[in-house]
Amino acid sequence: MSQQAVATSNPEIYHPSKILNHPDFRVLKDGEVPSPTANIAAFYNPAHEIHLVEKPKQSPGPGQVLVHIRATGICGSDVHFWKHGRIGDSMIVSDECGAGHESAGEVVEVGAGVTQWKAGDRVAIEAGVPCSLPSCEPCRTGRYNACPDVVFFSTPPYHGLLTRWHLHPAAWLHRLPDSVSFEEGALCEPFAVALAGIERSGLRLGDPLLICGAGPIGLVSLLAARAAGAEPIVITDLFQSRLDFAKTLVPGVRTLAVERGWGPKEVAEKVKAAAGGVSIKHAIECTGFEASVHAAIYSVKFGGQVFIIGAGKSEQNFPFMHLSANEIDVKFQYRYADQYPKAIRLITGGLVDLKPLVTHRFKLEEAVQAFHVAADPKQGAIKVQIKDE
Ligand SMILES: NC(=O)c1ccc[n+]([C@@H]2O[C@H](COP(=O)([O-])OP(=O)(O)OC[C@H]3O[C@@H](n4cnc5c(N)ncnc54)[C@H](O)[C@@H]3O)[C@@H](O)[C@H]2O)c1
Ligand SMILES: OC[C@H](O)C(O)[C@@H](O)CO
Protein backbone atom coordinates (compact mmCIF):
# COMPACT_ATOMS: atom_id res chain seq x y z
CA MET A 1 0.00 0.00 0.00
CA SER A 2 1.47 3.39 -0.93
CA GLN A 3 1.86 5.87 1.89
CA GLN A 4 1.20 9.54 1.18
CA ALA A 5 4.06 11.83 2.19
CA VAL A 6 3.09 14.18 5.04
CA ALA A 7 4.87 17.48 5.61
CA THR A 8 6.60 17.57 9.00
CA SER A 9 6.09 21.34 9.17
CA ASN A 10 2.32 21.03 8.53
CA PRO A 11 1.20 24.68 8.98
CA GLU A 12 -2.33 23.40 9.57
CA ILE A 13 -1.26 21.80 12.85
CA TYR A 14 1.13 24.50 13.99
CA HIS A 15 -0.90 27.45 12.77
CA PRO A 16 -0.79 30.20 15.43
CA SER A 17 -4.54 30.75 15.29
CA LYS A 18 -4.99 27.32 16.88
CA ILE A 19 -3.54 28.85 20.03
CA LEU A 20 -4.74 32.47 19.74
CA ASN A 21 -8.36 31.48 19.04
CA HIS A 22 -8.42 28.78 21.68
CA PRO A 23 -10.84 29.58 24.56
CA ASP A 24 -8.06 28.81 27.09
CA PHE A 25 -5.64 31.40 25.66
CA ARG A 26 -5.34 34.52 27.82
CA VAL A 27 -2.81 37.17 28.85
CA LEU A 28 -1.95 36.90 32.55
CA LYS A 29 -2.77 39.91 34.70
CA ASP A 30 0.12 41.95 36.13
CA GLY A 31 1.37 40.25 39.27
CA GLU A 32 -0.81 37.16 38.75
CA VAL A 33 0.86 33.99 40.03
CA PRO A 34 0.20 31.17 37.57
CA SER A 35 -0.29 27.58 38.67
CA PRO A 36 3.01 25.64 38.57
CA THR A 37 1.61 23.31 35.89
CA ALA A 38 -0.08 25.95 33.72
CA ASN A 39 1.19 26.17 30.16
CA ILE A 40 2.56 29.68 30.49
CA ALA A 41 4.63 31.29 27.75
CA ALA A 42 6.26 34.63 26.90
CA PHE A 43 4.49 36.46 24.06
CA TYR A 44 5.13 39.84 22.43
CA ASN A 45 2.76 41.81 20.23
CA PRO A 46 2.65 44.64 17.66
CA ALA A 47 2.28 47.19 20.50
CA HIS A 48 5.80 46.15 21.66
CA GLU A 49 4.48 44.64 24.86
CA ILE A 50 5.93 41.49 26.31
CA HIS A 51 3.88 39.47 28.77
CA LEU A 52 3.13 36.04 30.12
CA VAL A 53 0.19 34.23 28.60
CA GLU A 54 -1.54 31.00 29.49
CA LYS A 55 -2.21 28.70 26.57
CA PRO A 56 -3.71 25.25 26.23
CA LYS A 57 -1.59 22.19 26.93
CA GLN A 58 -2.20 20.08 23.82
CA SER A 59 -1.95 16.33 23.43
CA PRO A 60 0.44 14.97 20.82
CA GLY A 61 -1.13 13.88 17.55
CA PRO A 62 0.37 11.29 15.18
CA GLY A 63 4.10 11.84 14.73
CA GLN A 64 4.24 14.43 17.50
CA VAL A 65 5.89 14.61 20.88
CA LEU A 66 4.94 16.72 23.89
CA VAL A 67 8.09 18.23 25.41
CA HIS A 68 8.50 19.85 28.81
CA ILE A 69 10.78 22.75 27.90
CA ARG A 70 13.50 22.90 30.55
CA ALA A 71 15.84 25.62 29.21
CA THR A 72 15.42 28.37 26.63
CA GLY A 73 17.90 31.06 25.66
CA ILE A 74 16.84 34.52 24.61
CA CYS A 75 18.18 35.39 21.16
CA GLY A 76 18.76 38.91 19.88
CA SER A 77 16.01 38.23 17.33
CA ASP A 78 13.47 37.60 20.14
CA VAL A 79 14.34 41.01 21.60
CA HIS A 80 14.25 42.58 18.14
CA PHE A 81 10.76 41.21 17.37
CA TRP A 82 9.52 42.55 20.72
CA LYS A 83 11.14 46.00 20.44
CA HIS A 84 10.91 46.63 16.67
CA GLY A 85 8.08 44.36 15.53
CA ARG A 86 9.86 42.99 12.50
CA ILE A 87 13.06 41.62 10.99
CA GLY A 88 13.47 42.55 7.33
CA ASP A 89 10.48 42.67 5.03
CA SER A 90 9.02 39.22 5.57
CA MET A 91 9.11 38.55 9.34
CA ILE A 92 6.51 40.90 10.79
CA VAL A 93 4.78 40.81 14.19
CA SER A 94 1.12 41.27 13.30
CA ASP A 95 -0.49 39.59 16.33
CA GLU A 96 0.43 38.08 19.68
CA CYS A 97 3.43 35.84 19.05
CA GLY A 98 5.33 33.44 21.29
CA ALA A 99 9.07 33.97 21.76
CA GLY A 100 12.02 31.59 21.98
CA HIS A 101 13.76 29.17 19.66
CA GLU A 102 16.84 28.09 21.63
CA SER A 103 15.41 25.25 23.71
CA ALA A 104 15.95 21.84 25.19
CA GLY A 105 13.63 19.72 27.29
CA GLU A 106 12.26 16.40 28.32
CA VAL A 107 9.78 14.22 26.45
CA VAL A 108 6.58 13.74 28.47
CA GLU A 109 4.21 12.08 26.00
CA VAL A 110 4.38 10.72 22.46
CA GLY A 111 1.71 10.53 19.76
CA ALA A 112 0.68 7.61 17.58
CA GLY A 113 3.43 6.12 15.45
CA VAL A 114 6.29 7.64 17.46
CA THR A 115 8.69 4.84 18.29
CA GLN A 116 12.03 6.62 18.71
CA TRP A 117 11.05 8.65 21.80
CA LYS A 118 9.62 7.83 25.20
CA ALA A 119 8.76 9.82 28.32
CA GLY A 120 11.92 10.95 30.10
CA ASP A 121 14.12 11.25 27.00
CA ARG A 122 16.19 14.43 27.01
CA VAL A 123 16.22 16.40 23.75
CA ALA A 124 17.47 19.50 22.00
CA ILE A 125 14.71 20.95 19.88
CA GLU A 126 15.44 21.93 16.30
CA ALA A 127 13.58 25.22 16.02
CA GLY A 128 13.04 25.26 12.28
CA VAL A 129 10.94 22.41 10.96
CA PRO A 130 10.98 22.12 7.16
CA CYS A 131 8.32 20.30 5.17
CA SER A 132 10.69 17.37 4.40
CA LEU A 133 8.62 16.45 1.32
CA PRO A 134 10.47 14.79 -1.56
CA SER A 135 8.83 17.31 -3.88
CA CYS A 136 10.64 20.16 -2.04
CA GLU A 137 14.00 20.76 -3.72
CA PRO A 138 15.79 22.32 -0.68
CA CYS A 139 14.55 19.52 1.60
CA ARG A 140 15.43 16.84 -0.92
CA THR A 141 18.96 18.20 -1.42
CA GLY A 142 19.77 18.72 2.26
CA ARG A 143 19.54 22.51 2.27
CA TYR A 144 16.35 22.50 4.24
CA ASN A 145 17.00 25.95 5.73
CA ALA A 146 15.64 27.18 2.39
CA CYS A 147 12.37 25.23 2.64
CA PRO A 148 9.60 27.69 1.69
CA ASP A 149 7.18 25.96 4.05
CA VAL A 150 9.42 25.91 7.10
CA VAL A 151 7.75 26.41 10.46
CA PHE A 152 10.36 28.31 12.45
CA PHE A 153 9.03 28.39 15.99
CA SER A 154 9.25 31.99 17.33
CA THR A 155 9.43 33.69 13.95
CA PRO A 156 6.05 35.30 13.28
CA PRO A 157 3.51 33.98 12.78
CA TYR A 158 4.64 30.77 14.53
CA HIS A 159 4.75 30.79 18.31
CA GLY A 160 8.00 29.98 20.05
CA LEU A 161 9.42 27.45 22.44
CA LEU A 162 9.57 29.71 25.49
CA THR A 163 6.69 27.91 27.14
CA ARG A 164 6.21 25.00 29.50
CA TRP A 165 4.65 22.36 27.23
CA HIS A 166 5.50 22.36 23.54
CA LEU A 167 4.27 20.05 20.75
CA HIS A 168 6.99 19.14 18.25
CA PRO A 169 7.36 16.80 15.29
CA ALA A 170 9.21 13.70 16.53
CA ALA A 171 11.64 13.79 13.62
CA TRP A 172 13.02 17.19 14.62
CA LEU A 173 14.30 16.43 18.09
CA HIS A 174 17.88 15.48 18.92
CA ARG A 175 18.84 13.15 21.76
CA LEU A 176 20.97 14.67 24.50
CA PRO A 177 23.36 12.32 26.30
CA ASP A 178 23.15 12.47 30.10
CA SER A 179 26.47 14.34 30.17
CA VAL A 180 24.97 17.27 28.22
CA SER A 181 22.84 19.65 30.27
CA PHE A 182 19.58 21.22 29.14
CA GLU A 183 21.41 24.57 29.13
CA GLU A 184 23.94 23.20 26.67
CA GLY A 185 21.17 21.55 24.66
CA ALA A 186 19.47 24.92 24.30
CA LEU A 187 22.78 26.50 23.22
CA CYS A 188 22.95 24.03 20.33
CA GLU A 189 20.70 26.42 18.38
CA PRO A 190 23.08 29.41 18.16
CA PHE A 191 26.00 26.99 18.00
CA ALA A 192 24.37 25.36 14.96
CA VAL A 193 24.51 28.74 13.20
CA ALA A 194 28.26 28.99 13.85
CA LEU A 195 28.89 25.39 12.78
CA ALA A 196 27.05 25.94 9.52
CA GLY A 197 29.21 29.02 8.99
CA ILE A 198 32.48 27.24 9.71
CA GLU A 199 31.49 24.36 7.42
CA ARG A 200 30.54 26.59 4.51
CA SER A 201 33.46 29.01 4.98
CA GLY A 202 35.96 26.25 4.24
CA LEU A 203 38.15 27.30 7.19
CA ARG A 204 41.15 24.97 7.55
CA LEU A 205 43.58 24.02 10.32
CA GLY A 206 46.00 26.90 10.96
CA ASP A 207 44.08 29.49 8.96
CA PRO A 208 44.42 33.03 10.37
CA LEU A 209 40.92 34.21 11.22
CA LEU A 210 39.11 37.43 12.11
CA ILE A 211 35.78 37.26 13.93
CA CYS A 212 33.84 40.54 13.96
CA GLY A 213 31.58 40.94 17.00
CA ALA A 214 31.80 39.21 20.37
CA GLY A 215 28.09 38.75 21.00
CA PRO A 216 26.69 35.24 21.46
CA ILE A 217 27.04 34.43 17.75
CA GLY A 218 30.61 35.75 17.56
CA LEU A 219 31.47 33.79 20.71
CA VAL A 220 30.01 30.47 19.54
CA SER A 221 31.83 31.07 16.25
CA LEU A 222 35.00 31.62 18.27
CA LEU A 223 34.54 28.30 20.08
CA ALA A 224 33.80 26.52 16.81
CA ALA A 225 36.77 28.12 15.03
CA ARG A 226 39.12 27.22 17.86
CA ALA A 227 37.90 23.61 17.72
CA ALA A 228 38.42 23.70 13.93
CA GLY A 229 42.04 24.77 14.45
CA ALA A 230 42.09 28.40 13.27
CA GLU A 231 45.24 30.24 14.41
CA PRO A 232 45.71 33.06 15.12
CA ILE A 233 42.18 34.27 15.85
CA VAL A 234 41.45 37.96 16.30
CA ILE A 235 38.02 38.96 17.60
CA THR A 236 36.68 42.52 17.55
CA ASP A 237 33.92 44.32 19.39
CA LEU A 238 32.99 47.84 20.42
CA PHE A 239 32.86 46.79 24.08
CA GLN A 240 35.97 45.79 26.01
CA SER A 241 33.80 43.81 28.47
CA ARG A 242 32.73 41.45 25.67
CA LEU A 243 36.34 41.05 24.52
CA ASP A 244 37.41 40.28 28.10
CA PHE A 245 34.70 37.61 28.14
CA ALA A 246 36.05 36.19 24.87
CA LYS A 247 39.52 35.93 26.42
CA THR A 248 38.25 33.94 29.37
CA LEU A 249 36.24 31.71 27.02
CA VAL A 250 39.14 30.99 24.67
CA PRO A 251 42.52 31.80 26.23
CA GLY A 252 44.96 32.89 23.56
CA VAL A 253 42.42 34.66 21.38
CA ARG A 254 43.62 38.10 20.31
CA THR A 255 41.22 40.99 20.78
CA LEU A 256 40.68 44.40 19.23
CA ALA A 257 38.36 47.01 20.72
CA VAL A 258 37.08 48.91 17.68
CA GLU A 259 36.34 52.62 18.07
CA ARG A 260 33.33 53.98 16.23
CA GLY A 261 35.32 56.69 14.36
CA TRP A 262 37.79 54.26 12.77
CA GLY A 263 37.54 53.62 9.05
CA PRO A 264 37.71 50.06 7.67
CA LYS A 265 41.34 50.36 6.50
CA GLU A 266 42.39 51.55 9.96
CA VAL A 267 40.59 48.58 11.56
CA ALA A 268 42.28 46.27 9.04
CA GLU A 269 45.77 47.56 9.98
CA LYS A 270 45.04 47.04 13.67
CA VAL A 271 43.65 43.56 13.01
CA LYS A 272 46.88 42.62 11.23
CA ALA A 273 48.93 44.00 14.11
CA ALA A 274 46.78 42.07 16.61
CA ALA A 275 47.40 38.93 14.54
CA GLY A 276 51.17 39.47 14.94
CA GLY A 277 51.60 40.66 11.36
CA VAL A 278 50.02 37.56 9.84
CA SER A 279 47.67 38.19 6.90
CA ILE A 280 44.09 37.19 7.61
CA LYS A 281 42.66 34.53 5.30
CA HIS A 282 39.10 34.25 6.62
CA ALA A 283 36.78 36.69 8.33
CA ILE A 284 33.55 35.61 9.98
CA GLU A 285 31.33 38.65 10.34
CA CYS A 286 28.91 38.43 13.29
CA THR A 287 27.47 41.95 13.62
CA GLY A 288 25.64 42.71 10.36
CA PHE A 289 26.72 46.37 10.54
CA GLU A 290 28.09 47.88 7.35
CA ALA A 291 31.14 49.37 9.09
CA SER A 292 32.10 45.97 10.41
CA VAL A 293 31.41 44.21 7.09
CA HIS A 294 33.74 46.73 5.40
CA ALA A 295 36.38 46.23 8.08
CA ALA A 296 36.20 42.48 7.49
CA ILE A 297 36.59 42.97 3.73
CA TYR A 298 39.67 45.19 4.11
CA SER A 299 41.18 42.83 6.70
CA VAL A 300 41.43 39.72 4.53
CA LYS A 301 44.28 39.13 2.10
CA PHE A 302 44.15 38.61 -1.67
CA GLY A 303 42.03 35.52 -2.28
CA GLY A 304 40.58 35.67 1.23
CA GLN A 305 37.02 35.06 2.26
CA VAL A 306 34.49 37.07 4.22
CA PHE A 307 31.73 34.95 5.63
CA ILE A 308 28.75 36.97 6.84
CA ILE A 309 26.55 35.54 9.57
CA GLY A 310 25.40 38.94 10.90
CA ALA A 311 22.03 40.20 9.74
CA GLY A 312 21.48 43.91 9.17
CA LYS A 313 19.95 46.59 7.00
CA SER A 314 18.22 45.36 3.84
CA GLU A 315 20.48 47.45 1.59
CA GLN A 316 24.19 47.92 2.25
CA ASN A 317 27.13 49.25 0.22
CA PHE A 318 30.11 47.13 -0.75
CA PRO A 319 33.67 48.24 -1.66
CA PHE A 320 33.20 46.76 -5.12
CA MET A 321 36.62 47.41 -6.67
CA HIS A 322 38.53 46.32 -3.56
CA LEU A 323 36.64 43.02 -3.60
CA SER A 324 37.21 42.64 -7.31
CA ALA A 325 40.92 43.55 -7.38
CA ASN A 326 41.63 41.24 -4.46
CA GLU A 327 39.53 38.23 -5.50
CA ILE A 328 37.78 38.31 -2.15
CA ASP A 329 34.84 35.92 -1.83
CA VAL A 330 31.85 37.02 0.20
CA LYS A 331 29.43 34.39 1.45
CA PHE A 332 26.38 34.47 3.68
CA GLN A 333 24.69 32.12 6.12
CA TYR A 334 20.97 31.70 6.68
CA ARG A 335 20.22 29.64 9.80
CA TYR A 336 21.57 26.07 9.33
CA ALA A 337 20.87 22.59 8.06
CA ASP A 338 21.82 19.36 9.78
CA GLN A 339 24.11 20.89 12.42
CA TYR A 340 22.51 19.73 15.71
CA PRO A 341 24.01 16.22 15.65
CA LYS A 342 27.45 17.73 15.05
CA ALA A 343 26.88 20.27 17.85
CA ILE A 344 25.99 17.50 20.31
CA ARG A 345 29.01 15.40 19.27
CA LEU A 346 31.37 18.34 19.78
CA ILE A 347 29.95 19.04 23.24
CA THR A 348 29.93 15.39 24.26
CA GLY A 349 33.46 14.88 22.99
CA GLY A 350 34.72 17.84 25.01
CA LEU A 351 35.85 19.85 21.98
CA VAL A 352 33.76 22.85 22.97
CA ASP A 353 32.42 24.04 26.30
CA LEU A 354 29.32 26.18 25.80
CA LYS A 355 28.41 26.33 29.50
CA PRO A 356 30.19 29.63 30.34
CA LEU A 357 28.02 31.48 27.80
CA VAL A 358 25.01 31.38 30.13
CA THR A 359 25.49 34.41 32.37
CA HIS A 360 21.92 34.97 33.62
CA ARG A 361 19.19 32.48 34.59
CA PHE A 362 15.50 33.06 35.31
CA LYS A 363 12.47 30.94 36.11
CA LEU A 364 9.73 30.61 33.49
CA GLU A 365 7.46 32.82 35.63
CA GLU A 366 10.20 35.51 35.44
CA ALA A 367 10.44 35.43 31.63
CA VAL A 368 9.41 39.08 31.22
CA GLN A 369 12.14 40.19 33.63
CA ALA A 370 14.59 37.99 31.71
CA PHE A 371 13.70 39.85 28.49
CA HIS A 372 14.36 43.21 30.13
CA VAL A 373 17.81 42.02 31.24
CA ALA A 374 18.60 40.59 27.79
CA ALA A 375 17.57 43.88 26.16
CA ASP A 376 19.65 46.13 28.43
CA PRO A 377 23.36 46.23 27.41
CA LYS A 378 24.25 47.69 30.82
CA GLN A 379 23.36 44.34 32.43
CA GLY A 380 26.35 42.76 30.66
CA ALA A 381 24.54 39.54 29.77
CA ILE A 382 25.94 37.19 27.17
CA LYS A 383 23.21 34.55 27.16
CA VAL A 384 20.10 34.84 29.30
CA GLN A 385 18.32 31.53 29.79
CA ILE A 386 14.93 30.70 31.24
CA LYS A 387 14.74 27.45 33.16
CA ASP A 388 11.81 25.31 34.25
CA GLU A 389 13.14 22.68 36.64
N1 LIG B 1 22.62 34.25 9.65
C1 LIG B 1 21.86 33.69 10.59
O1 LIG B 1 21.18 32.70 10.37
C2 LIG B 1 21.85 34.30 11.94
C3 LIG B 1 21.41 33.56 13.04
C4 LIG B 1 21.45 34.15 14.31
C5 LIG B 1 21.91 35.46 14.45
N2 LIG B 1 22.28 36.17 13.33
C6 LIG B 1 22.79 37.54 13.41
O2 LIG B 1 24.11 37.50 13.93
C7 LIG B 1 24.41 38.79 14.49
C8 LIG B 1 25.04 38.59 15.87
O3 LIG B 1 24.09 38.06 16.77
P1 LIG B 1 24.36 38.23 18.34
O4 LIG B 1 23.23 37.56 19.02
O5 LIG B 1 25.74 37.86 18.68
O6 LIG B 1 24.18 39.83 18.45
P2 LIG B 1 24.75 40.89 19.49
O7 LIG B 1 24.11 42.19 19.14
O8 LIG B 1 24.63 40.37 20.87
O9 LIG B 1 26.31 40.98 19.17
C9 LIG B 1 26.85 41.75 18.16
C10 LIG B 1 28.13 42.36 18.67
O10 LIG B 1 28.73 43.11 17.62
C11 LIG B 1 29.36 44.23 18.20
N3 LIG B 1 29.58 45.24 17.17
C12 LIG B 1 28.70 46.13 16.65
N4 LIG B 1 29.31 46.90 15.73
C13 LIG B 1 30.59 46.47 15.65
C14 LIG B 1 31.71 46.88 14.88
N5 LIG B 1 31.64 47.89 14.01
N6 LIG B 1 32.86 46.21 15.05
C15 LIG B 1 32.95 45.19 15.94
N7 LIG B 1 31.93 44.79 16.70
C16 LIG B 1 30.76 45.42 16.56
C17 LIG B 1 28.41 44.66 19.29
O11 LIG B 1 29.06 45.45 20.27
C18 LIG B 1 27.94 43.32 19.84
O12 LIG B 1 28.70 42.90 20.96
C19 LIG B 1 23.10 39.56 14.49
O13 LIG B 1 23.10 40.42 13.37
C20 LIG B 1 22.06 38.47 14.32
O14 LIG B 1 20.88 38.96 13.74
C21 LIG B 1 22.26 35.61 12.09
O1 LIG C 1 19.25 31.16 14.62
C1 LIG C 1 18.14 31.44 13.89
C2 LIG C 1 17.87 32.92 13.89
O2 LIG C 1 17.94 33.50 15.14
C3 LIG C 1 16.58 33.18 13.19
O3 LIG C 1 16.81 33.15 11.82
C4 LIG C 1 15.97 34.49 13.57
O4 LIG C 1 16.96 35.47 13.47
C5 LIG C 1 14.77 34.89 12.75
O5 LIG C 1 13.98 33.84 12.45
Side-chain angles (χ1 to χ4, degrees):
M1 192 170 64
S2 73
Q3 224 182 351
Q4 213 189 339
V6 178
T8 49
S9 60
N10 200 338
E12 272 297 296
I13 294 176
Y14 298 102
H15 199 276
S17 61
K18 295 245 175 210
I19 298 291
L20 296 181
N21 296 337
H22 195 284
D24 293 344
F25 177 86
R26 69 186 183 95
V27 176
L28 264 62
K29 298 187 189 71
D30 268 353
E32 181 180 344
V33 180
S35 128
T37 54
N39 195 16
I40 54 173
F43 272 54
Y44 46 74
N45 64 24
H48 312 294
E49 294 164 326
I50 182 135
H51 39 219
L52 288 182
V53 306
E54 185 167 344
K55 61 192 189 70
K57 178 182 178 186
Q58 297 160 297
S59 295
Q64 287 183 319
V65 168
L66 184 68
V67 183
H68 178 186
I69 302 290
R70 301 288 294 272
T72 300
I74 298 180
C75 171
S77 62
D78 292 312
V79 174
H80 202 88
F81 281 130
W82 160 38
K83 294 273 185 187
H84 303 285
R86 66 193 300 146
I87 293 182
D89 297 331
S90 59
M91 305 178 211
I92 297 166
V93 181
S94 55
D95 206 336
E96 291 285 342
C97 188
H101 56 264
E102 302 177 358
S103 299
E106 193 174 338
V107 172
V108 285
E109 197 182 336
V110 302
V114 176
T115 53
Q116 69 271 50
W117 303 112
K118 60 176 189 330
D121 284 345
R122 303 167 69 258
V123 290
I125 302 170
E126 185 145 351
V129 176
C131 76
S132 315
L133 291 172
S135 55
C136 174
E137 196 257 3
C139 287
R140 194 176 64 245
T141 57
R143 301 194 74 168
Y144 62 77
N145 44 341
C147 171
D149 293 322
V150 69
V151 168
F152 199 95
F153 292 100
S154 87
T155 293
Y158 299 106
H159 303 313
L161 309 174
L162 181 41
T163 181
R164 183 162 280 138
W165 315 109
H166 168 72
L167 272 190
H168 208 75
W172 293 93
L173 298 171
H174 302 277
R175 192 174 302 280
L176 291 178
D178 289 344
S179 62
V180 179
S181 65
F182 289 121
E183 290 192 3
E184 293 169 285
L187 284 164
C188 283
E189 203 282 339
F191 190 41
V193 175
L195 292 179
I198 297 285
E199 184 175 299
R200 292 189 56 247
S201 73
L203 183 84
R204 299 263 186 96
L205 198 64
D207 279 350
L209 172 70
L210 165 66
I211 296 176
C212 304
I217 294 294
L219 293 171
V220 286
S221 299
L222 172 62
L223 285 166
R226 172 55 86 217
E231 177 61 28
I233 306 176
V234 179
I235 188 164
T236 63
D237 204 281
L238 300 173
F239 294 100
Q240 187 60 44
S241 56
R242 288 210 150 173
L243 296 173
D244 292 343
F245 189 91
K247 276 193 224 164
T248 61
L249 192 67
V250 173
V253 67
R254 297 146 191 250
T255 60
L256 175 67
V258 172
E259 290 184 19
R260 285 186 196 275
W262 292 353
K265 292 180 189 167
E266 191 174 359
V267 178
E269 276 170 26
K270 293 181 194 293
V271 166
K272 188 163 182 174
V278 175
S279 299
I280 297 293
K281 184 167 176 208
H282 287 270
I284 299 185
E285 207 296 317
C286 302
T287 79
F289 289 105
E290 191 174 301
S292 179
V293 173
H294 283 218
I297 289 170
Y298 279 100
S299 294
V300 296
K301 64 181 183 180
F302 188 99
Q305 193 188 84
V306 176
F307 194 89
I308 302 179
I309 296 179
K313 277 195 310 189
S314 298
E315 301 280 339
Q316 302 202 17
N317 291 314
F318 270 90
F320 179 89
M321 274 320 294
H322 181 81
L323 289 166
S324 169
N326 289 279
E327 291 188 2
I328 294 168
D329 297 332
V330 181
K331 282 175 112 176
F332 291 86
Q333 186 60 39
Y334 182 58
R335 298 176 178 160
Y336 42 78
D338 201 22
Q339 298 296 331
Y340 274 69
K342 196 198 291 179
I344 295 167
R345 284 198 300 276
L346 289 168
I347 298 167
T348 311
L351 275 86
V352 291
D353 183 6
L354 301 178
K355 292 191 287 293
L357 293 168
V358 183
T359 52
H360 293 68
R361 296 169 179 82
F362 292 86
K363 292 183 188 152
L364 182 54
E365 290 78 1
E366 301 166 335
V368 171
Q369 194 187 334
F371 262 83
H372 285 281
V373 169
D376 177 4
K378 289 198 288 294
Q379 303 283 333
I382 298 293
K383 182 56 71 182
V384 176
Q385 279 196 352
I386 289 137
K387 315 276 298 284
D388 197 36
E389 302 295 351

